[in-house]
Structure formats: structure tokens, C-alpha cells
Amino acid sequence: MKLQAPENELLTKSAAQLAALIKAGEVSSREVVAAHLQRIADVEPQVHAFLSVDAERALAAADRVDAKRMNSEPLGSLAGVPLAMKDNYAYQGLPCTCGSRMLEGWYPPYDATVTKRLLENDIIILGKTNLDEFAMGSATENSAFGVTCNPHDLERIPGGSGGGSAASLAAFEAPLAVGSDTGGSIRQPASVTGTIGIKPTYGGISRFGIVALASSLDAPGPCARTVMDAALLHQTMAGYDRLDSVSINAPIPAAQAAASNPDLRGLKLGVVKEFTGEWFQSGVMGQFDQALTHLVAQGAEIVEVSCPHFEVAMGANFLIMAAEISSNMAKFDAVRYGLRSGDDGQHSAQQVTSLSRGAGFGAEVKRRILLGTHALSTGHYEALYGSALKVRTLVIQDFDAAFSKVDVLVSPTSPVTAWKIGERSADPLTTHHADLCTVPSNLAGNCAGSFPIGVSADDGLPVGFQVIAPAMGDALLYRVGAGLENAFGVTGEVL
Amino acid sequence: MALSVAEVSQLGELAKIALTPAEIEQFAVELNAVLERVVEVSNVNPDIPATYHPLATSNVFRPDEVEISTASKLVLAAAPAVEEDRFRVSRILGEEA
């Protein structure tokens, strides 16, 4: 069953439209924020996209934007527009649970760099959204606080790990959201909810204050319903940050200009030959082929390219991710923050740490820490982690060869549409296939985005089109995205 | 290459996660299924150089100057147990007892 469409027309407007109306004084930020809070109250029992809602501060922030407008103070491109934040970003005053019992009720003592930039630009944070525990998963089914439902069919998953952020957009609970992508956690939820999600170039948006999953793969990024909204949010989030050691000190990609100029003439699109076959649903391939036809009609050229190592990228990404997870999760030692269990005077500090981690982490987190510990242990390091790092080199070489022939690579974002809640949770391996097309970009650190291209003919569910561009070529994603939006319309028309 | 139940139990100790016997049994089965899928990476040509990180990064240093940092009371407010303005921990002596 689909979620009912909203009646209040403020809810179906794009973020750019809302910002323009607020700036012109035709509607107040308070009215916009109140409308979204009402929508959240109305549909959350069915969707469960949010883990916390911050109505009071959101309305107070909206009033400040309205006061600025009254005083003719300058307003940013998205001033007064509400946003949903994935619950692994630090934002003082709201809990940061990462979907885990381990951090239930933990309030971060500082703001993430992205949080600061959103607030400085007068974007209104509505609340924090659901995710797979510590962003480990492809369905939000691994959240300790219950699954999020896909607004296109409430019995189906919204993708993961950022299923809450994607579902909040598709449900019209927010026009903007932020996520983080380590293997597809922004792009795959965008794909299955008919929304847009961008994994920027690694180092293009600061990771500071976002709870780390796998540090050499993590990329925070924007989520939206229109290409222009994603571009405006991208530019607000991006830029050098001295608090992130991998932050790139270079000009921010001109996403907005690209989004408003979908001129595809002469642009070479590389279709990755390896991204077809048994894992791909026929309705997904049908929409993908139709999208290619539209892009060719707008002047793009199609070139088939081969990236032979993408097939083993899944295994390499999973091992590297698990290894980095086992190291990153060591900070949850029950001393400085999070759950403490067994602190009864009978147990030693080490036993308290083990008991707390045993009680606080869910099965998927434990599984990945154990796998990572194994992959890094003496006798297995070379065969597992060491080999994965070599495959990573080969994947990067495949990209380099491909980008010497074409401007961008294209594929379906996810080989399948949204599956039924519970259908695949019994088999953790099949859900990983959802990330088949997305993981190579995390290994290489380049940028990639998912754009909606209508619904699959076999089940009527949204399909996503992935565009991959070389590092710092983020603007190209928006150019192709705008071309797709020309052909398929904006997401609002799908629900 | 398959992991035994005893090895999974040992991994739990190394990773400092208290596991129940049922969890150990379950994870042994699941981890072996995962390993079967990912082990194909070990067929890679051993002469290929490893890539640890997607960017050519180098250490960045800043001048060693005192700056305002997060207030300790904010940090302690989020801690599971505090005593005399410090994190309270359980005993560390007699760990082997």
C-alpha cells in the first residue's frame, strides 16, 4: 500500500521554490516548517523515518529566518527550508544514536562540520532519521529502533543504511536530507525510494562529527527530490575543513550551474558491461535502457566499457569495510560514552567493556567486527585484507582506463527494486548485492549519484540511474541528473 | 579456511564482545558463508601494489598553539559514570583473577 499523498501544497514544492517564496515574503519559514512538522505527525506512524523530532528548536530557528527577512538581512539559497538529518551526524541538543542501543540517549557535545554549515546557512533541522545500526546494512532492518517503511509501498524496505533520510523525502516529510555513503548508503536508498542521493568525491564534504563507519570509504552527501535542490545542498555542505584530515582544499564543484544547464551534447556515457546479468531485475534494466535512449536524444553518446575487476569489488569492499569497522568500533569501550553493562563491582574494566559491547551491539555489527578482526589477524591478513587492498588498486585502474574513454560511467543504481520487509533479512549475503554497482566508487574515492527514472514495469516500484564521475567531477553528476529530470520529471510526480 | 566455533569464540575475546554460546554457533555459520563469498579476492596477483586510501594524503601539521576545546563538563555529561570530574571505570587490577 502506498502512503497517501500530501494535501498541503507547501509539502510538494522543491527546496529552491520554498526558499524563493520565503525570501519574497509570500510564505513564512514558520509556515513551511509547521507544515512539515504536521506531515511528520500525520505519517510517522506508517513510515517511521525519524528517530527524533525537534519541533521547538525548528520553529524557533524558522522565526529567526523570518525576522532576518523582515530586517532585509541577506538570506542563503536554502534559508528557512527544513531538512532531515541521518542520526549519525552530531547535532548538539538531539541524541545521536546511530540506530544502536550502544548510543541510545547519547547527546553529542559538539556539532559536525556539516551541521554547523547547515545552521550557518539558516537551514532548519527537523530531526534525526533512522538508519541501519552504525550505517551497516541496505534496508534499515538492522536499526535497533525498528524498520523504516518505503512510502511507495509500506510493506517494503526504503533501502539502507540511510533509509530514514530517503523515506522522509519520498513521504514529503522534508524537502532536503543528509546521509553518509560507505558502500551505497546514500545512493541505494535514493534508488528504491525514487529520490536523489549523491556520494560526493571522497574528501569533498567533511566527515568531522559524523560517526565513522569505514574511514577510507565514508562520504557524507546530500539527498533531495530535485536535482537543483541536491546541488544547492551539496554546495552548502562542501568545502575544505581543517578538522577532517582527508578534506580536499580545492574549489567547491559548480553543482548549481551544472544542474541548471543539462546540455548533454557530446557527453560520452560509458555503460559498464559487467553491470548486467542474473542479479539484475528485468524491469530495472528496462527503465535503464529507456533512460539511455532519452539521454542519447539529448545529445549524449553511449560507449560500452569494460571494468573487469568490478565483479570482485564487492568482496574487497566488504573486507576493507569490516577491517576498518573492527578498528573504528573499538572506541565503544563503555568508558567515555554509550552503554555500560555489568558495572556492579564484581567485574573488571575489561569484562565491563566486553559485556557492554555484547549487550549494546546488534548482530550485524558484531558479525562485521568479528569478520574484520579475523581479516586483520596474523595468518589471514595477507590473504584477506591485503588481497582486498590489491583488488582496490585494480578497481581504480579500471576506472582510470574507463575515464580515458568516456566522461562518466552509468549503470542502474541497484540491481533490484525495494524488496519486502523481512524477505531477505534472514540471508545477510543477498542484501549485500544491493550494493553491487555502488561499491566501486567508494573503493576509488570518486563521485557518484542516483537519480530517479520512473518505475519498473514488473512491479511498479521506483528505479534509480547511477552516474559516476572522476574525483572532483561532481558537477558532471548534476549535468546528467538534470538531463534525466528533463526526461522523467521530478520525484514528486511518482508518489 | 573455514572458521571453527573455537576460533569464533577467540575472535569474540580479541574484539572484546561477550558472546553467548548460541551467538558463537550462529556467527560461525554466517561468517563462513561470508568468507566463502569474499575469499575470491585472494586470487589477486600478489605483485599488485596495495591501495590503503583513495587519496594521496600526507600528514598535516598545524602550529602548536593552545585553542579552545570542548568543555570537559559537556564531555562528562555524556559519560556512563563520572566521579570527581573524571570518567569512573571499574577495577583494572586483578584482571587475571
Side-chain angles (χ1 to χ4, degrees):
Chain A
M1 191 181 72
K2 268 191 190 188
L3 184 70
Q4 72 276 17
E7 282 168 16
N8 186 336
E9 61 180 32
L10 282 178
L11 298 172
T12 51
K13 294 203 182 306
S14 74
Q17 287 169 333
L18 290 171
L21 289 172
I22 291 167
K23 205 175 264 187
E26 288 178 37
V27 67
S28 68
S29 174
R30 174 171 267 268
E31 286 173 88
V32 170
V33 170
H36 285 90
L37 288 170
Q38 185 58 50
R39 176 70 175 169
I40 290 171
D42 291 343
V43 303
E44 270 301 282
Q46 291 160 278
V47 180
H48 187 47
F50 285 86
L51 292 180
S52 56
V53 177
D54 199 9
E56 207 171 301
R57 271 201 301 179
L59 289 168
D63 287 343
R64 284 196 297 276
V65 173
D66 291 332
K68 274 191 179 181
R69 192 198 66 79
M70 298 285 275
N71 297 331
S72 306
E73 289 176 46
L75 291 174
S77 60
L78 294 170
V81 177
L83 171 143
M85 174 173 271
K86 191 177 182 183
D87 200 18
N88 57 353
Y89 280 62
Y91 174 33
Q92 289 182 81
L94 274 192
C96 182
T97 68
C98 293
S100 180
R101 295 281 173 212
M102 180 59 90
L103 283 179
E104 191 171 12
W106 178 68
Y107 286 76
Y110 60 89
D111 288 334
T113 295
V114 169
T115 306
K116 274 189 195 159
R117 291 186 179 167
L118 298 173
L119 296 173
E120 282 163 9
N121 283 278
D122 291 317
I123 293 170
I124 315 291
I125 300 169
L126 291 172
K128 308 284 285 292
T129 56
N130 199 14
L131 67 162
D132 286 296
E133 185 173 2
F134 288 105
M136 299 182 203
S138 304
T140 73
E141 290 177 303
N142 296 332
S143 168
F145 307 112
V147 70
T148 296
C149 304
N150 190 324
H152 292 273
D153 178 347
L154 294 163
E155 289 177 3
R156 292 177 187 269
I157 59 101
S161 64
S165 280
S168 75
L169 297 173
F172 297 95
E173 293 173 282
L176 298 171
V178 288
S180 60
D181 190 311
T182 307
S185 283
I186 288 176
R187 291 164 284 162
Q188 181 258 0
S191 175
V192 300
T193 58
T195 58
I196 295 164
I198 308 292
K199 181 202 101 63
T201 299
Y202 179 78
I205 292 181
S206 170
R207 304 165 307 163
F208 179 76
I210 297 164
V211 178
L213 175 56
S215 303
S216 83
L217 307 165
D218 291 345
C223 313
R225 287 192 303 260
T226 75
V227 177
M228 180 55 79
D229 287 356
L232 293 170
L233 183 56
H234 190 138
Q235 294 197 171
T236 305
M237 298 167 77
Y240 177 68
D241 177 21
R242 72 182 193 111
L243 297 176
D244 182 349
S245 61
V246 305
S247 181
I248 296 171
N249 196 350
I252 294 170
Q256 183 186 358
S260 50
N261 177 29
D263 182 359
L264 301 180
R265 282 173 297 177
L267 197 75
K268 285 187 178 153
L269 314 178
V271 176
V272 183
K273 196 173 82 174
E274 284 73 16
F275 286 155
T276 50
E278 55 166 337
W279 295 106
F280 290 78
Q281 191 178 323
S282 68
V284 169
M285 291 315 292
Q287 284 307 111
F288 177 69
D289 290 339
Q290 199 187 322
L292 289 179
T293 307
H294 282 299
L295 294 174
V296 167
Q298 293 177 53
E301 282 175 47
I302 305 290
V303 181
E304 189 182 82
V305 296
S306 174
C307 296
H309 301 98
F310 282 11
E311 284 167 350
V312 282
M314 282 273 299
N317 194 75
F318 204 68
L319 281 168
I320 292 169
M321 191 190 290
E324 295 187 16
I325 283 168
S326 74
S327 159
N328 272 333
M329 302 303 282
K331 64 176 165 278
F332 298 103
D333 57 4
V335 173
R336 292 155 296 165
Y337 34 68
L339 182 78
R340 184 181 286 191
S341 202
D343 185 14
D344 53 7
Q346 305 298 307
H347 295 100
S348 70
Q350 187 162 311
Q351 287 168 327
V352 169
T353 298
S354 293
L355 289 167
S356 302
R357 288 161 66 81
F361 290 145
E364 181 68 9
V365 177
K366 289 177 185 172
R367 230 176 350 248
R368 294 204 198 184
I369 294 174
L370 295 174
L371 177 66
T373 306
H374 176 63
L376 292 174
S377 63
T378 313
H380 302 287
Y381 179 100
E382 269 313 315
L384 295 173
Y385 181 62
S387 298
L389 296 174
K390 289 169 184 172
V391 170
R392 187 174 200 173
T393 305
L394 295 171
V395 168
I396 292 170
Q397 288 172 357
D398 279 358
F399 272 122
D400 289 344
F403 286 133
S404 73
K405 297 188 199 109
V406 298
D407 298 300
V408 296
L409 297 179
V410 295
S411 75
T413 307
S414 167
V416 294
T417 56
W419 58 88
K420 286 210 162 140
I421 290 166
E423 189 178 64
R424 296 184 176 203
S425 52
D427 180 4
L429 276 175
T430 54
T431 66
H432 297 323
H433 281 107
D435 296 337
L436 191 64
C437 305
T438 49
V439 294
S441 288
N442 297 88
L443 287 172
N446 57 30
C447 55
S450 179
F451 301 92
I453 50 168
V455 297
S456 164
D458 44 26
D459 57 16
L461 292 166
V463 177
F465 185 100
Q466 179 177 239
V467 186
I468 308 174
M472 294 311 277
D474 304 50
L476 277 170
L477 307 177
Y478 292 98
R479 199 167 140 205
V480 180
L484 290 166
E485 199 170 67
N486 271 351
F488 289 93
V490 299
T491 318
E493 290 154 28
V494 177
L495 186 73
Chain B
M1 198 93 168
L3 281 168
S4 67
V5 164
E7 283 169 313
V8 173
S9 175
Q10 165 76 0
L11 286 173
E13 283 173 35
L14 289 170
K16 295 201 169 44
I17 302 175
L19 299 172
T20 64
E23 279 181 311
I24 293 170
E25 294 270 349
Q26 183 197 336
F27 288 144
V29 174
E30 291 167 351
L31 288 173
N32 281 319
V34 173
L35 282 170
E36 249 173 60
R37 271 247 8 201
V38 299
V39 76
E40 61 180 343
V41 300
S42 59
N43 298 328
V44 70
N45 177 350
D47 298 331
I48 305 288
T51 300
Y52 291 85
H53 206 268
L55 296 178
T57 49
S58 55
N59 271 330
V60 181
F61 295 95
R62 63 172 170 82
D64 188 13
E65 289 163 356
V66 177
E67 293 182 12
I68 297 167
S69 59
T70 308
S72 62
K73 69 170 188 215
L74 279 178
V75 175
L76 290 169
V82 173
E83 198 174 298
E84 296 176 6
D85 290 335
R86 292 175 177 85
F87 298 116
R88 186 179 64 71
V89 294
S90 305
R91 66 184 162 81
I92 54 164
L93 298 175
E95 290 261 78
E96 306 305 317

